[in-house]
Amino acid sequence: MFLDSLLARNPGLADAAADLHRRGEIPPDTYVIDLDAVAGNAALLAAEADRLGLSLWFVAKQFGRNPEVIEAVSRSIPRFAAIDADEARILHAAGARPGNLGHLVQIPHRSLPELLAWRPETVTVYDLANARAVSEAAQRLGFVQDVLVRLEGAPGAVYPGQEGGVPLAVLDKFAEEAERLPGIRLAGVTAFPCVLCEPGTGAPAATPNFELARQARDLLAARGHQDLKLSAPSATSVASLPLLARLGATHGEPGHALTGTTPLHAVDPDQPERPAYVYVTEVAHTLADGRPAVFGGGFYARSHIETALLPRTGLRLPVQNAPAENIDYYRLLEAPEAGSDVRAGDTALLAFRTQIFVTRSTVAVVAGLSAGKPRLTGLYDARGRAL
């Protein structure tokens, strides 16, 4: 999906990744991240958000919650949105500041005292029970916690496994109850996804959830709440920030834009964010019919992989589809033309949309590429722990 863009806009990363694998410094099933490119992308996003009067909370799951990358991003975007408690702990330990906790995954009740003690800017609540729990925990800690109300998504506009939120039709009743809770303040609203990239063109467009969030904010404003936030996450990039500003959002939550891998970046090589990671594996064996099998572990069901590059020969082979329900021990490439030289142990490079935190991959961080002096600075697992 992103291999052409990577080779055109960041060929040094491809060369460095292949070299690291050839020398045995990284194993197959490794994502190699260009730290300089990520830092540059974060700076671009921060500058455009500032120009438009928007705030940003960055998201770390896509790049494996990596502490080196977190530190690089937080120099330009200091605050984060953590999708769950584990991610919040890693981000906090890496020195980033908590912006929004509890979205996409509610904070477990027994973790509230720990996480609220960091004094996050906001906490997302999906229902009254979680609002009460946040209120009680904040009261015990001696302060009032700002919360964002998560809106129930529009029919057909919510991903399976991410259901939940307050229906717009009962938001007034919810607000009436929440306003009685002494440990919280209704500070705004959010929904997910609020923006998606159009199929084919990759252009960012608002989903029906965005309009629900706008209506919800208006309802809370009519009840007297002031300075309300509206966080409109998903597909946040330099290209989508003007849309957020025009529709009245206050916050965006960049994730894939930090690595130049939104669907828009796959079809438009002129986007300002540069591709910042590549997946490295190797040929494990060849089937009797000539199809090479590469080691798996890092393939993602929604990645839309197209081709793999074998740098030793420059051969590019289509990647065959695989059922999402199967374990990705291997991934098959199409058989090359007769006479092509494909050997077990050959490096294979792929570039595709991923969520590293749900893989079993290694993450290698490379610095110095912008100066032509790449160096491996660390190896980590997919959840950000140093190896």
Side-chain angles (χ1 to χ4, degrees):
M1 185 179 181
F2 292 101
L3 189 55
D4 288 335
S5 178
L6 173 75
L7 295 175
R9 300 198 58 203
N10 199 349
L13 173 58
D15 292 341
D19 189 54
L20 286 169
H21 179 256
R22 279 194 300 266
R23 297 202 310 262
E25 294 190 39
I26 61 173
D29 182 24
T30 294
Y31 286 94
V32 181
I33 297 181
D34 178 351
L35 197 63
D36 298 2
V38 172
N41 292 340
L44 288 169
L45 286 156
E48 179 66 0
D50 186 64
R51 185 184 74 82
L52 294 166
L54 294 168
S55 298
L56 297 178
W57 295 321
F58 75 91
V59 180
K61 64 188 176 74
Q62 293 91 340
F63 55 76
R65 303 169 171 175
N66 187 276
E68 288 192 61
V69 182
I70 290 167
E71 194 277 331
V73 172
S74 63
R75 289 197 295 268
S76 296
I77 307 172
R79 291 188 179 273
F80 62 80
I83 65 151
D84 59 25
D86 283 348
E87 183 164 288
R89 293 183 180 101
I90 294 166
L91 286 153
H92 179 68
R97 295 158 58 191
N100 185 23
L101 306 183
H103 191 244
L104 298 164
V105 180
Q106 291 286 269
I107 302 173
H109 286 197
R110 292 167 186 83
S111 298
L112 282 167
E114 173 196 1
L115 272 61
L116 293 189
W118 306 340
R119 299 303 302 266
E121 189 175 349
T122 61
V123 171
T124 295
V125 293
Y126 279 47
D127 59 15
L128 200 57
N130 279 281
R132 289 194 185 100
V134 172
S135 176
E136 291 166 5
Q139 271 194 292
R140 287 193 293 269
L141 291 167
F143 59 85
V144 175
Q145 175 63 57
D146 280 1
V147 299
L148 299 184
V149 181
R150 155 74 177 242
L151 271 296
E152 181 182 65
V158 178
Y159 296 121
Q162 298 182 21
E163 299 89 351
V166 178
L168 183 64
V170 300
L171 178 60
D172 199 58
K173 177 63 175 175
F174 171 90
E176 182 181 351
E177 295 290 333
E179 287 161 1
R180 299 192 182 105
L181 300 174
I184 63 170
R185 183 183 79 90
L186 296 181
V189 298
T190 188
F192 190 87
C194 287
V195 177
L196 290 176
C197 294
E198 296 279 8
T201 67
T207 72
N209 297 333
F210 205 145
E211 178 57 27
L212 285 176
R214 296 174 70 193
Q215 293 179 38
R217 184 175 61 176
D218 290 345
L219 187 151
L220 293 181
R223 294 186 62 88
H225 297 280
Q226 299 178 347
D227 300 321
L228 291 167
K229 297 176 174 64
L230 193 167
S231 185
S234 190
T236 304
S237 68
V238 169
S240 70
L241 288 174
L243 173 68
L244 268 61
R246 179 168 57 83
L247 294 181
T250 61
H251 288 70
E253 300 183 14
H256 275 293
L258 295 166
T259 51
T261 52
T262 75
L264 176 59
H265 292 82
V267 297
D268 184 354
D270 295 324
Q271 290 303 302
E273 300 97 334
R274 297 175 63 224
Y277 68 73
V278 62
Y279 183 66
V280 182
T281 186
E282 71 178 62
V283 176
H285 57 277
T286 300
L287 278 62
D289 60 11
R291 288 177 294 166
V294 298
F295 290 108
F299 294 106
Y300 176 62
R302 294 164 55 199
S303 56
H304 305 291
I305 306 170
E306 294 177 354
T307 62
L309 170 66
L310 306 182
R312 184 178 63 83
T313 60
L315 189 64
R316 282 183 69 164
L317 296 176
V319 179
Q320 295 192 332
N321 290 330
E325 62 268 22
N326 287 19
I327 299 172
D328 66 329
Y329 296 111
Y330 304 102
R331 194 65 178 264
L332 292 176
L333 311 182
E334 290 190 9
E337 294 181 0
S340 297
D341 182 16
V342 178
R343 305 173 190 171
D346 274 351
T347 302
L349 300 182
L350 302 94
F352 50 85
R353 185 173 168 86
T354 190
Q355 300 278 346
I356 293 177
F357 83 112
V358 300
T359 73
R360 57 184 188 275
S361 302
T362 299
V363 176
V365 179
V366 173
L369 269 167
S370 60
K373 297 179 180 179
R375 66 186 186 280
L376 179 65
T377 60
L379 290 174
Y380 302 84
D381 70 11
R383 295 180 63 189
R385 294 172 294 203
L387 300 176

